[in-house]
Amino acid sequence: MAPHAITPRPSSPTTLHTPSQQPITVLASSRAVVSGRLTEATIVISTSTGKITSIFHSVLPSTYFPPGTPYKDYSPLILLPGLVDAHVHLNEPGRTEWEGFWTGTRAAAFGGVTTVVDMPLNAIPPTTTVQGLKEKVAAAQGQCWVDVGFYGGVVPGNSGELKGLVQEGVRGFKGFLIDSGVDEFPAVSSSDIALAMSELKDSSTTLMFHAEMIPPITASVGDDVQHSHPPLAPSGPLNLYSTFLDSRPPSFETYAIAEILSLAHLAPNLPLHIVHLSAVEAIPMLREARAKGVNVTAETCFHYLSLEAEQVREGDTRHKCCPPIRERKNRDGLWDELVQDEGLGVIQTVVSDHSPCTPNLKLLPSELVGKKDAQNEPEAEAEKGDFFAAWGGISSVGLGLSILWTEGTKRYPGFSVEEVVRWCCKNTAKQVGLERVKGDLGVGFDGDVVVFDDEGNFVVEHSTMLFRNKCSPYENKTLKGVVRETWLRGQKVFDRENGFAEKMGPTGGLLLEPRKARA
Protein backbone atom coordinates (compact mmCIF):
# COMPACT_ATOMS: atom_id res chain seq x y z
CA MET A 1 0.00 0.00 0.00
CA ALA A 2 1.13 3.55 -0.68
CA PRO A 3 2.39 5.39 2.40
CA HIS A 4 0.93 8.70 3.46
CA ALA A 5 2.56 11.17 1.09
CA ILE A 6 2.90 14.91 1.52
CA THR A 7 2.70 16.82 -1.72
CA PRO A 8 5.43 19.48 -1.88
CA ARG A 9 4.11 22.99 -1.45
CA PRO A 10 4.25 24.88 -4.73
CA SER A 11 5.43 28.49 -4.80
CA SER A 12 2.00 29.45 -6.12
CA PRO A 13 -1.39 27.74 -5.86
CA THR A 14 -2.86 25.38 -8.37
CA THR A 15 -5.55 27.70 -9.61
CA LEU A 16 -8.29 28.25 -12.17
CA HIS A 17 -9.41 31.71 -10.98
CA THR A 18 -8.09 34.04 -8.34
CA PRO A 19 -10.18 34.17 -5.16
CA SER A 20 -11.38 37.74 -5.72
CA GLN A 21 -13.00 37.10 -9.08
CA GLN A 22 -16.18 35.47 -7.81
CA PRO A 23 -18.02 34.53 -4.59
CA ILE A 24 -16.23 31.64 -2.93
CA THR A 25 -16.29 29.22 -0.01
CA VAL A 26 -12.99 28.12 1.49
CA LEU A 27 -12.33 24.81 3.28
CA ALA A 28 -8.93 24.04 4.78
CA SER A 29 -7.21 21.33 6.78
CA SER A 30 -3.78 20.09 7.75
CA ARG A 31 -4.85 16.80 6.11
CA ALA A 32 -6.62 16.49 2.77
CA VAL A 33 -6.43 13.92 -0.02
CA VAL A 34 -5.62 15.99 -3.11
CA SER A 35 -4.80 14.22 -6.38
CA GLY A 36 -4.63 10.96 -4.45
CA ARG A 37 -2.09 12.10 -1.84
CA LEU A 38 -2.41 13.34 1.72
CA THR A 39 -1.29 16.95 2.10
CA GLU A 40 -2.10 20.21 3.78
CA ALA A 41 -4.65 22.04 1.69
CA THR A 42 -6.81 25.11 1.36
CA ILE A 43 -9.59 24.46 -1.14
CA VAL A 44 -11.41 27.34 -2.83
CA ILE A 45 -14.82 26.58 -4.31
CA SER A 46 -16.89 28.93 -6.47
CA THR A 47 -20.36 29.30 -5.03
CA SER A 48 -21.73 30.20 -8.46
CA THR A 49 -20.35 27.22 -10.42
CA GLY A 50 -19.83 24.72 -7.60
CA LYS A 51 -16.36 24.01 -9.00
CA ILE A 52 -13.01 23.99 -7.21
CA THR A 53 -11.14 27.03 -8.50
CA SER A 54 -7.93 26.92 -6.45
CA ILE A 55 -6.03 24.57 -4.19
CA PHE A 56 -3.16 25.76 -1.99
CA HIS A 57 -0.94 23.05 -0.52
CA SER A 58 -0.87 24.73 2.86
CA VAL A 59 -3.39 25.96 5.40
CA LEU A 60 -3.93 29.62 4.61
CA PRO A 61 -5.49 31.94 7.20
CA SER A 62 -8.92 33.40 6.61
CA THR A 63 -7.31 36.83 6.26
CA TYR A 64 -5.85 35.79 2.92
CA PHE A 65 -9.35 35.93 1.42
CA PRO A 66 -11.77 38.84 0.94
CA PRO A 67 -13.61 39.96 4.08
CA GLY A 68 -16.79 37.97 4.69
CA THR A 69 -15.63 34.92 2.74
CA PRO A 70 -17.10 31.75 4.28
CA TYR A 71 -14.03 29.95 5.65
CA LYS A 72 -13.34 27.02 7.96
CA ASP A 73 -10.19 25.25 9.01
CA TYR A 74 -11.11 21.64 9.87
CA SER A 75 -7.65 20.57 11.09
CA PRO A 76 -6.91 17.82 12.06
CA LEU A 77 -9.94 16.21 10.39
CA ILE A 78 -9.38 14.89 6.85
CA LEU A 79 -10.90 16.47 3.75
CA LEU A 80 -11.76 13.80 1.17
CA PRO A 81 -13.38 13.95 -2.24
CA GLY A 82 -17.02 12.87 -2.14
CA LEU A 83 -17.42 9.14 -2.64
CA VAL A 84 -18.88 7.83 -5.89
CA ASP A 85 -20.98 4.75 -5.12
CA ALA A 86 -21.26 3.18 -8.55
CA HIS A 87 -23.70 0.42 -7.57
CA VAL A 88 -26.93 1.39 -5.80
CA HIS A 89 -30.53 0.19 -6.17
CA LEU A 90 -32.92 3.08 -5.50
CA ASN A 91 -35.96 1.15 -6.81
CA GLU A 92 -38.13 4.16 -7.63
CA PRO A 93 -40.64 4.18 -9.29
CA GLY A 94 -42.48 0.92 -8.79
CA ARG A 95 -40.91 -0.38 -5.59
CA THR A 96 -40.55 2.85 -3.67
CA GLU A 97 -41.60 1.07 -0.48
CA TRP A 98 -38.22 -0.70 -0.72
CA GLU A 99 -36.20 2.47 -1.32
CA GLY A 100 -36.54 5.81 -3.06
CA PHE A 101 -34.53 8.76 -4.28
CA TRP A 102 -35.24 10.91 -1.21
CA THR A 103 -34.29 8.33 1.43
CA GLY A 104 -31.54 6.62 -0.52
CA THR A 105 -29.69 9.82 -1.35
CA ARG A 106 -30.00 11.16 2.21
CA ALA A 107 -28.44 7.93 3.44
CA ALA A 108 -25.66 8.41 0.89
CA ALA A 109 -24.96 12.00 2.01
CA PHE A 110 -24.84 10.88 5.65
CA GLY A 111 -21.87 8.70 4.76
CA GLY A 112 -19.97 11.09 2.51
CA VAL A 113 -21.26 9.72 -0.78
CA THR A 114 -21.92 12.64 -3.11
CA THR A 115 -22.65 10.63 -6.27
CA VAL A 116 -24.66 7.43 -6.65
CA VAL A 117 -25.32 5.52 -9.85
CA ASP A 118 -28.69 3.79 -9.88
CA MET A 119 -29.00 0.22 -11.15
CA PRO A 120 -31.52 -0.49 -13.92
CA LEU A 121 -33.56 -3.15 -12.14
CA ASN A 122 -35.95 -3.34 -9.19
CA ALA A 123 -37.76 -0.22 -10.36
CA ILE A 124 -40.92 -0.67 -12.45
CA PRO A 125 -40.41 -0.10 -15.29
CA PRO A 126 -36.74 -1.09 -15.39
CA THR A 127 -34.27 1.10 -17.25
CA THR A 128 -34.15 -1.12 -20.31
CA THR A 129 -35.74 1.38 -22.71
CA VAL A 130 -35.44 5.10 -23.30
CA GLN A 131 -39.00 5.48 -22.07
CA GLY A 132 -38.15 3.58 -18.89
CA LEU A 133 -35.23 5.92 -18.28
CA LYS A 134 -37.47 8.96 -18.77
CA GLU A 135 -39.93 7.63 -16.19
CA LYS A 136 -37.12 7.11 -13.70
CA VAL A 137 -35.72 10.59 -14.34
CA ALA A 138 -39.17 12.09 -13.82
CA ALA A 139 -39.51 10.26 -10.51
CA ALA A 140 -36.13 11.56 -9.34
CA GLN A 141 -36.81 15.25 -9.98
CA GLY A 142 -36.45 17.38 -6.85
CA GLN A 143 -35.78 14.40 -4.57
CA CYS A 144 -32.02 13.92 -4.67
CA TRP A 145 -29.70 15.06 -1.88
CA VAL A 146 -26.65 14.00 -3.88
CA ASP A 147 -25.93 13.72 -7.59
CA VAL A 148 -27.44 10.69 -9.31
CA GLY A 149 -26.48 8.89 -12.48
CA PHE A 150 -28.28 5.98 -14.12
CA TYR A 151 -27.37 2.67 -15.70
CA GLY A 152 -29.25 1.04 -18.53
CA GLY A 153 -30.13 -2.63 -18.59
CA VAL A 154 -29.36 -5.40 -21.07
CA VAL A 155 -32.17 -7.93 -21.34
CA PRO A 156 -33.32 -10.28 -24.10
CA GLY A 157 -34.78 -8.32 -27.00
CA ASN A 158 -33.73 -4.76 -26.10
CA SER A 159 -30.54 -4.41 -28.18
CA GLY A 160 -32.28 -1.80 -30.32
CA GLU A 161 -32.68 0.46 -27.27
CA LEU A 162 -29.04 0.50 -26.21
CA LYS A 163 -27.66 3.28 -28.42
CA GLY A 164 -30.64 5.46 -27.57
CA LEU A 165 -29.91 4.98 -23.87
CA VAL A 166 -26.27 5.97 -24.47
CA GLN A 167 -27.45 9.17 -26.13
CA GLU A 168 -29.79 9.87 -23.22
CA GLY A 169 -26.85 9.74 -20.81
CA VAL A 170 -26.77 6.39 -19.02
CA ARG A 171 -23.40 5.73 -17.38
CA GLY A 172 -23.18 2.08 -18.48
CA PHE A 173 -25.19 -1.13 -18.85
CA LYS A 174 -25.81 -4.16 -16.69
CA GLY A 175 -27.01 -7.64 -17.55
CA PHE A 176 -27.60 -10.80 -15.52
CA LEU A 177 -26.39 -14.24 -16.52
CA ILE A 178 -28.67 -15.81 -13.89
CA ASP A 179 -32.19 -15.12 -12.63
CA SER A 180 -32.23 -11.55 -11.31
CA GLY A 181 -35.03 -12.18 -8.83
CA VAL A 182 -37.51 -9.86 -10.57
CA ASP A 183 -39.61 -10.77 -13.59
CA GLU A 184 -39.07 -7.42 -15.33
CA PHE A 185 -35.33 -8.06 -15.75
CA PRO A 186 -34.68 -11.53 -17.24
CA ALA A 187 -31.23 -13.04 -17.68
CA VAL A 188 -29.35 -12.82 -20.96
CA SER A 189 -27.94 -15.63 -23.07
CA SER A 190 -24.63 -15.64 -24.93
CA SER A 191 -26.42 -14.50 -28.08
CA ASP A 192 -27.95 -11.56 -26.18
CA ILE A 193 -24.49 -10.58 -24.93
CA ALA A 194 -23.11 -10.79 -28.46
CA LEU A 195 -25.88 -8.51 -29.73
CA ALA A 196 -25.22 -6.00 -26.96
CA MET A 197 -21.50 -6.00 -27.69
CA SER A 198 -22.19 -5.44 -31.37
CA GLU A 199 -24.44 -2.48 -30.59
CA LEU A 200 -22.12 -0.88 -28.02
CA LYS A 201 -18.65 -1.68 -29.41
CA ASP A 202 -18.10 1.89 -30.66
CA SER A 203 -19.92 3.67 -27.84
CA SER A 204 -18.44 5.49 -24.86
CA THR A 205 -19.88 3.26 -22.19
CA THR A 206 -19.20 0.21 -20.00
CA LEU A 207 -20.88 -3.19 -20.22
CA MET A 208 -21.27 -4.81 -16.80
CA PHE A 209 -22.39 -8.24 -15.71
CA HIS A 210 -23.83 -9.94 -12.67
CA ALA A 211 -21.50 -12.86 -13.22
CA GLU A 212 -23.23 -15.97 -11.95
CA MET A 213 -24.27 -18.90 -14.14
CA ILE A 214 -25.30 -22.42 -13.27
CA PRO A 215 -22.62 -24.72 -14.73
CA PRO A 216 -23.85 -27.65 -16.84
CA ILE A 217 -22.67 -30.07 -14.16
CA THR A 218 -23.28 -28.83 -10.66
CA ALA A 219 -24.36 -29.96 -7.22
CA SER A 220 -26.56 -26.92 -6.85
CA VAL A 221 -29.18 -24.91 -8.68
CA GLY A 222 -29.14 -21.72 -6.65
CA ASP A 223 -32.37 -20.62 -5.00
CA ASP A 224 -34.24 -23.48 -6.64
CA VAL A 225 -32.25 -25.99 -4.63
CA GLN A 226 -34.95 -26.23 -1.97
CA HIS A 227 -37.36 -27.63 -4.54
CA SER A 228 -34.92 -30.11 -6.06
CA HIS A 229 -34.52 -33.84 -5.65
CA PRO A 230 -31.27 -35.67 -4.82
CA PRO A 231 -28.47 -35.15 -5.68
CA LEU A 232 -29.48 -31.48 -6.08
CA ALA A 233 -31.32 -31.34 -2.77
CA PRO A 234 -30.21 -28.77 -0.18
CA SER A 235 -27.21 -29.77 1.89
CA GLY A 236 -28.95 -28.96 5.17
CA PRO A 237 -31.76 -26.99 6.82
CA LEU A 238 -32.88 -23.91 4.88
CA ASN A 239 -32.33 -21.59 7.85
CA LEU A 240 -28.61 -22.42 8.03
CA TYR A 241 -26.38 -20.05 6.10
CA SER A 242 -24.07 -22.93 5.18
CA THR A 243 -26.92 -24.50 3.21
CA PHE A 244 -27.42 -21.34 1.21
CA LEU A 245 -23.67 -20.92 0.67
CA ASP A 246 -23.44 -24.48 -0.66
CA SER A 247 -26.16 -23.68 -3.17
CA ARG A 248 -24.15 -20.90 -4.88
CA PRO A 249 -20.56 -22.16 -5.07
CA PRO A 250 -17.64 -20.23 -6.60
CA SER A 251 -18.10 -22.20 -9.83
CA PHE A 252 -21.20 -20.07 -10.51
CA GLU A 253 -18.95 -17.02 -10.79
CA THR A 254 -16.02 -18.60 -12.61
CA TYR A 255 -18.29 -20.21 -15.21
CA ALA A 256 -20.05 -16.91 -15.90
CA ILE A 257 -16.81 -14.93 -16.13
CA ALA A 258 -15.35 -17.50 -18.52
CA GLU A 259 -18.42 -17.05 -20.73
CA ILE A 260 -18.04 -13.26 -20.73
CA LEU A 261 -14.32 -13.40 -21.49
CA SER A 262 -14.95 -15.80 -24.37
CA LEU A 263 -17.03 -13.09 -26.06
CA ALA A 264 -14.77 -10.12 -25.31
CA HIS A 265 -13.14 -10.28 -28.75
CA LEU A 266 -16.44 -9.14 -30.30
CA ALA A 267 -15.90 -5.64 -28.87
CA PRO A 268 -12.21 -5.30 -27.97
CA ASN A 269 -12.45 -1.57 -27.17
CA LEU A 270 -15.58 -1.82 -25.03
CA PRO A 271 -14.80 -1.73 -21.29
CA LEU A 272 -16.22 -4.80 -19.53
CA HIS A 273 -16.85 -4.90 -15.81
CA ILE A 274 -17.72 -7.65 -13.33
CA VAL A 275 -20.00 -6.34 -10.60
CA HIS A 276 -19.84 -7.51 -6.97
CA LEU A 277 -17.09 -10.13 -7.34
CA SER A 278 -17.14 -12.40 -4.31
CA ALA A 279 -15.16 -15.55 -5.22
CA VAL A 280 -11.35 -15.37 -5.16
CA GLU A 281 -11.27 -18.32 -7.57
CA ALA A 282 -12.20 -15.88 -10.36
CA ILE A 283 -9.19 -13.62 -9.79
CA PRO A 284 -6.55 -15.66 -11.73
CA MET A 285 -8.71 -15.85 -14.86
CA LEU A 286 -9.38 -12.10 -14.76
CA ARG A 287 -5.69 -11.40 -14.21
CA GLU A 288 -4.78 -13.58 -17.19
CA ALA A 289 -7.37 -11.89 -19.38
CA ARG A 290 -6.08 -8.42 -18.47
CA ALA A 291 -2.52 -9.53 -19.21
CA LYS A 292 -3.69 -10.53 -22.68
CA GLY A 293 -5.18 -7.09 -23.26
CA VAL A 294 -8.83 -7.76 -22.46
CA ASN A 295 -10.44 -4.53 -21.24
CA VAL A 296 -12.04 -5.94 -18.08
CA THR A 297 -12.19 -4.74 -14.48
CA ALA A 298 -14.00 -5.92 -11.38
CA GLU A 299 -15.52 -4.49 -8.23
CA THR A 300 -16.18 -5.98 -4.86
CA CYS A 301 -18.46 -4.78 -2.07
CA PHE A 302 -18.17 -3.57 1.48
CA HIS A 303 -19.96 -6.67 2.74
CA TYR A 304 -17.57 -9.11 1.07
CA LEU A 305 -14.67 -7.28 2.75
CA SER A 306 -16.20 -7.06 6.23
CA LEU A 307 -18.55 -10.01 6.78
CA GLU A 308 -17.83 -13.74 6.82
CA ALA A 309 -19.93 -16.86 6.41
CA GLU A 310 -18.68 -18.41 9.66
CA GLN A 311 -20.28 -15.61 11.70
CA VAL A 312 -23.77 -15.60 10.16
CA ARG A 313 -26.31 -16.70 12.74
CA GLU A 314 -29.04 -19.22 12.06
CA GLY A 315 -31.90 -17.52 10.22
CA ASP A 316 -30.19 -14.12 9.95
CA THR A 317 -31.31 -13.43 6.41
CA ARG A 318 -30.06 -9.85 6.58
CA HIS A 319 -26.86 -11.45 5.27
CA LYS A 320 -28.41 -12.97 2.17
CA CYS A 321 -27.08 -11.61 -1.10
CA CYS A 322 -26.03 -13.02 -4.45
CA PRO A 323 -23.24 -13.87 -4.96
CA PRO A 324 -23.10 -14.89 -1.31
CA ILE A 325 -20.86 -13.69 1.48
CA ARG A 326 -18.18 -16.37 1.59
CA GLU A 327 -15.79 -17.74 4.19
CA ARG A 328 -13.14 -15.82 6.12
CA LYS A 329 -10.32 -17.20 3.96
CA ASN A 330 -12.08 -15.94 0.83
CA ARG A 331 -12.51 -12.50 2.41
CA ASP A 332 -8.78 -12.40 3.17
CA GLY A 333 -8.06 -13.20 -0.48
CA LEU A 334 -10.21 -10.31 -1.68
CA TRP A 335 -8.32 -7.93 0.58
CA ASP A 336 -4.98 -9.29 -0.68
CA GLU A 337 -6.01 -8.56 -4.26
CA LEU A 338 -7.47 -5.17 -3.45
CA VAL A 339 -4.35 -3.75 -1.80
CA GLN A 340 -1.99 -4.56 -4.66
CA ASP A 341 0.44 -1.66 -5.12
CA GLU A 342 -0.86 1.20 -7.26
CA GLY A 343 -4.04 -0.65 -8.13
CA LEU A 344 -2.41 -3.48 -10.06
CA GLY A 345 -4.99 -5.98 -8.83
CA VAL A 346 -8.01 -6.93 -10.90
CA ILE A 347 -10.37 -5.49 -8.27
CA GLN A 348 -10.36 -1.78 -8.98
CA THR A 349 -13.41 -0.48 -7.12
CA VAL A 350 -15.45 -1.02 -3.95
CA VAL A 351 -19.18 -0.26 -3.90
CA SER A 352 -22.19 -0.88 -1.68
CA ASP A 353 -24.55 -2.80 -3.99
CA HIS A 354 -27.21 -1.32 -1.71
CA SER A 355 -30.15 -3.61 -2.53
CA PRO A 356 -32.85 -3.08 0.08
CA CYS A 357 -36.35 -4.39 0.56
CA THR A 358 -39.08 -4.18 3.19
CA PRO A 359 -38.28 -6.11 6.39
CA ASN A 360 -41.04 -8.66 5.84
CA LEU A 361 -39.39 -9.79 2.58
CA LYS A 362 -36.27 -10.66 4.55
CA LEU A 363 -38.28 -13.22 6.56
CA LEU A 364 -36.30 -12.50 9.70
CA PRO A 365 -37.09 -14.57 12.80
CA SER A 366 -38.87 -12.55 15.47
CA GLU A 367 -35.80 -12.36 17.72
CA LEU A 368 -33.91 -10.53 14.96
CA VAL A 369 -36.67 -8.07 14.08
CA GLY A 370 -36.86 -4.73 15.88
CA LYS A 371 -40.10 -4.03 17.75
CA LYS A 372 -40.99 -1.13 15.45
CA ASP A 373 -40.53 -3.24 12.32
CA ALA A 374 -42.41 -6.17 13.81
CA GLN A 375 -45.42 -3.96 14.53
CA ASN A 376 -45.51 -2.37 11.07
CA GLU A 377 -44.91 -5.42 8.89
CA PRO A 378 -47.49 -8.14 8.15
CA GLU A 379 -46.59 -11.73 8.92
CA ALA A 380 -44.99 -13.37 5.91
CA GLU A 381 -46.34 -16.68 4.65
CA ALA A 382 -42.99 -18.37 4.12
CA GLU A 383 -41.01 -19.79 7.01
CA LYS A 384 -39.02 -17.22 8.95
CA GLY A 385 -35.27 -17.44 8.55
CA ASP A 386 -35.42 -19.26 5.20
CA PHE A 387 -32.31 -18.13 3.30
CA PHE A 388 -33.74 -19.36 0.02
CA ALA A 389 -37.16 -17.70 0.17
CA ALA A 390 -35.89 -14.39 1.62
CA TRP A 391 -35.07 -11.46 -0.67
CA GLY A 392 -31.34 -11.21 -1.38
CA GLY A 393 -29.62 -7.89 -0.87
CA ILE A 394 -27.49 -5.99 1.65
CA SER A 395 -28.47 -2.51 2.85
CA SER A 396 -25.42 -0.33 3.45
CA VAL A 397 -25.46 2.86 1.36
CA GLY A 398 -23.76 5.59 3.36
CA LEU A 399 -21.94 3.16 5.66
CA GLY A 400 -19.20 2.09 3.28
CA LEU A 401 -16.51 4.63 4.13
CA SER A 402 -16.69 3.70 7.79
CA ILE A 403 -16.89 -0.04 7.03
CA LEU A 404 -13.72 0.10 4.93
CA TRP A 405 -11.88 2.27 7.43
CA THR A 406 -12.85 -0.06 10.28
CA GLU A 407 -11.73 -3.19 8.48
CA GLY A 408 -8.66 -1.73 6.82
CA THR A 409 -7.19 -0.27 10.00
CA LYS A 410 -7.73 -3.58 11.78
CA ARG A 411 -5.82 -5.47 9.11
CA TYR A 412 -2.97 -3.18 8.15
CA PRO A 413 -1.00 -0.96 10.56
CA GLY A 414 -0.18 1.43 7.72
CA PHE A 415 -3.61 1.45 6.11
CA SER A 416 -4.07 4.78 4.41
CA VAL A 417 -7.10 6.84 3.56
CA GLU A 418 -5.56 7.36 0.10
CA GLU A 419 -6.40 3.72 -0.65
CA VAL A 420 -10.05 4.25 0.16
CA VAL A 421 -10.15 7.34 -2.06
CA ARG A 422 -8.66 5.34 -4.94
CA TRP A 423 -11.21 2.51 -4.63
CA CYS A 424 -14.32 4.52 -3.79
CA CYS A 425 -13.76 7.91 -5.43
CA LYS A 426 -11.21 8.03 -8.23
CA ASN A 427 -11.75 4.58 -9.76
CA THR A 428 -15.52 4.49 -9.35
CA ALA A 429 -15.74 7.89 -11.06
CA LYS A 430 -13.60 6.56 -13.90
CA GLN A 431 -15.76 3.45 -14.17
CA VAL A 432 -18.82 5.56 -14.97
CA GLY A 433 -17.15 8.23 -17.09
CA LEU A 434 -17.11 10.98 -14.46
CA GLU A 435 -13.36 11.14 -13.90
CA ARG A 436 -13.17 14.73 -15.15
CA VAL A 437 -15.57 16.11 -12.52
CA LYS A 438 -15.91 13.60 -9.66
CA GLY A 439 -13.71 11.45 -7.46
CA ASP A 440 -10.89 13.90 -6.71
CA LEU A 441 -10.12 17.23 -5.10
CA GLY A 442 -8.65 19.14 -7.99
CA VAL A 443 -9.07 22.37 -9.90
CA GLY A 444 -12.06 22.12 -12.23
CA PHE A 445 -13.64 19.27 -10.28
CA ASP A 446 -16.99 19.59 -8.54
CA GLY A 447 -16.64 20.91 -5.01
CA ASP A 448 -17.75 17.62 -3.44
CA VAL A 449 -15.96 17.43 -0.10
CA VAL A 450 -16.22 15.11 2.89
CA VAL A 451 -15.03 16.11 6.35
CA PHE A 452 -13.87 12.81 7.84
CA ASP A 453 -13.04 12.12 11.47
CA ASP A 454 -10.75 9.11 11.20
CA GLU A 455 -10.59 8.62 14.98
CA GLY A 456 -14.32 8.85 15.72
CA ASN A 457 -16.64 5.88 16.29
CA PHE A 458 -20.37 5.29 16.08
CA VAL A 459 -22.84 2.47 16.54
CA VAL A 460 -25.01 1.52 13.56
CA GLU A 461 -28.58 1.93 14.76
CA HIS A 462 -31.85 3.24 13.33
CA SER A 463 -30.69 6.85 13.65
CA THR A 464 -27.58 6.11 11.56
CA MET A 465 -29.31 4.01 8.90
CA LEU A 466 -31.08 6.64 6.83
CA PHE A 467 -32.16 4.31 4.06
CA ARG A 468 -35.90 3.64 4.04
CA ASN A 469 -35.95 0.21 5.70
CA LYS A 470 -33.74 -0.20 8.75
CA CYS A 471 -32.77 -3.79 8.04
CA SER A 472 -29.03 -4.36 7.69
CA PRO A 473 -26.42 -6.87 8.90
CA TYR A 474 -24.44 -3.90 10.22
CA GLU A 475 -27.04 -3.00 12.83
CA ASN A 476 -25.51 -2.72 16.32
CA LYS A 477 -21.94 -2.91 14.97
CA THR A 478 -19.45 -0.25 16.06
CA LEU A 479 -17.67 1.38 13.14
CA LYS A 480 -14.57 3.54 13.16
CA GLY A 481 -14.54 6.74 11.11
CA VAL A 482 -17.29 9.35 11.19
CA VAL A 483 -18.40 11.69 8.41
CA ARG A 484 -18.77 15.09 10.08
CA GLU A 485 -19.89 17.05 7.03
CA THR A 486 -20.76 16.44 3.39
CA TRP A 487 -20.49 19.19 0.77
CA LEU A 488 -21.99 18.93 -2.71
CA ARG A 489 -20.70 21.35 -5.33
CA GLY A 490 -19.67 23.88 -2.68
CA GLN A 491 -22.82 23.66 -0.57
CA LYS A 492 -23.00 21.87 2.75
CA VAL A 493 -25.85 19.37 2.51
CA PHE A 494 -25.24 17.47 5.76
CA ASP A 495 -23.40 17.81 9.02
CA ARG A 496 -23.36 15.42 11.93
CA GLU A 497 -24.29 18.06 14.49
CA ASN A 498 -27.20 19.77 12.73
CA GLY A 499 -28.42 17.25 10.17
CA PHE A 500 -29.48 18.19 6.66
CA ALA A 501 -29.89 21.58 5.03
CA GLU A 502 -33.65 21.22 5.16
CA LYS A 503 -34.42 24.88 4.34
CA MET A 504 -32.29 24.65 1.22
CA GLY A 505 -33.77 21.26 0.33
CA PRO A 506 -32.24 18.61 -1.90
CA THR A 507 -29.82 20.10 -4.43
CA GLY A 508 -28.53 16.94 -6.07
CA GLY A 509 -28.44 16.91 -9.85
CA LEU A 510 -29.19 14.20 -12.40
CA LEU A 511 -26.09 13.24 -14.37
CA LEU A 512 -27.48 12.85 -17.87
CA GLU A 513 -24.67 14.22 -20.02
CA PRO A 514 -23.69 11.52 -22.54
CA ARG A 515 -20.33 9.99 -21.71
CA LYS A 516 -17.31 11.20 -23.65
CA ALA A 517 -14.60 9.00 -25.10
CA ARG A 518 -11.58 8.67 -22.83
CA ALA A 519 -8.45 10.43 -23.95
Side-chain angles (χ1 to χ4, degrees), residues 184-458:
E184 312 86 34
F185 206 94
V188 291
S189 66
S190 296
S191 59
D192 297 318
I193 296 172
L195 279 172
M197 288 182 170
S198 177
E199 286 292 312
L200 297 173
K201 64 182 180 180
D202 298 320
S203 298
S204 297
T205 192
T206 300
L207 184 55
M208 311 184 304
F209 297 96
H210 178 126
E212 285 186 290
M213 287 179 74
I214 300 172
I217 300 175
T218 179
S220 172
V221 288
D223 279 0
D224 291 332
V225 71
Q226 62 180 329
H227 305 299
S228 302
H229 299 291
L232 304 183
S235 61
L238 304 184
N239 64 347
L240 293 184
Y241 186 74
S242 58
T243 308
F244 174 66
L245 185 60
D246 289 345
S247 78
R248 295 185 95 103
S251 59
F252 276 36
E253 292 187 69
T254 56
Y255 186 64
I257 290 171
E259 185 73 9
I260 294 161
L261 294 177
S262 74
L263 298 167
H265 67 280
L266 299 175
N269 297 320
L270 177 65
L272 305 177
H273 185 72
I274 307 303
V275 302
H276 49 51
L277 181 74
S278 81
V280 294
E281 289 84 350
I283 290 173
M285 61 198 307
L286 286 168
R287 186 181 293 126
E288 181 182 2
R290 285 169 58 85
K292 291 179 178 178
V294 178
N295 193 356
V296 63
T297 55
E299 68 188 35
T300 194
C301 300
F302 305 122
H303 43 276
Y304 299 132
L305 296 169
S306 61
L307 304 175
E308 57 189 52
E310 292 90 339
Q311 297 297 317
V312 180
R313 294 167 55 187
E314 180 179 314
D316 193 350
T317 52
R318 292 175 299 183
H319 292 78
K320 180 185 175 179
C321 60
C322 300
I325 295 161
R326 302 193 186 277
E327 300 88 350
R328 182 182 302 112
K329 182 179 180 181
N330 185 91
R331 183 184 67 174
D332 294 344
L334 292 175
W335 271 104
D336 289 343
E337 185 67 16
L338 187 63
V339 298
Q340 295 288 316
D341 288 344
E342 298 302 320
L344 297 178
V346 301
I347 302 174
Q348 298 284 305
T349 53
V350 186
V351 296
S352 70
D353 187 13
H354 176 65
S355 185
C357 66
T358 54
N360 64 309
L361 293 177
K362 275 295 188 183
L363 304 178
L364 279 170
S366 57
E367 65 270 17
L368 296 176
V369 180
K371 292 181 179 180
K372 181 178 179 181
D373 292 332
Q375 292 171 356
N376 294 340
E377 292 293 343
E379 194 71 19
E381 295 180 4
E383 182 181 352
K384 297 290 188 179
D386 184 337
F387 279 101
F388 293 84
W391 174 259
I394 302 291
S395 293
S396 65
V397 69
L399 300 177
L401 174 57
S402 300
I403 292 168
L404 271 190
W405 190 244
T406 301
E407 294 300 318
T409 52
K410 282 181 186 176
R411 287 174 170 269
Y412 307 105
F415 187 70
S416 66
V417 73
E418 294 101 315
E419 302 278 13
V420 177
V421 168
R422 176 159 55 85
W423 303 329
C424 301
C425 305
K426 179 182 177 181
N427 287 356
T428 45
K430 182 179 179 181
Q431 177 186 318
V432 296
L434 293 170
E435 67 269 29
R436 294 178 178 88
V437 292
K438 301 287 186 182
D440 198 1
L441 298 179
V443 171
F445 281 74
D446 287 351
D448 298 351
V449 184
V450 178
V451 181
F452 184 57
D453 178 357
D454 58 321
E455 295 296 332
N457 296 278
F458 71 99

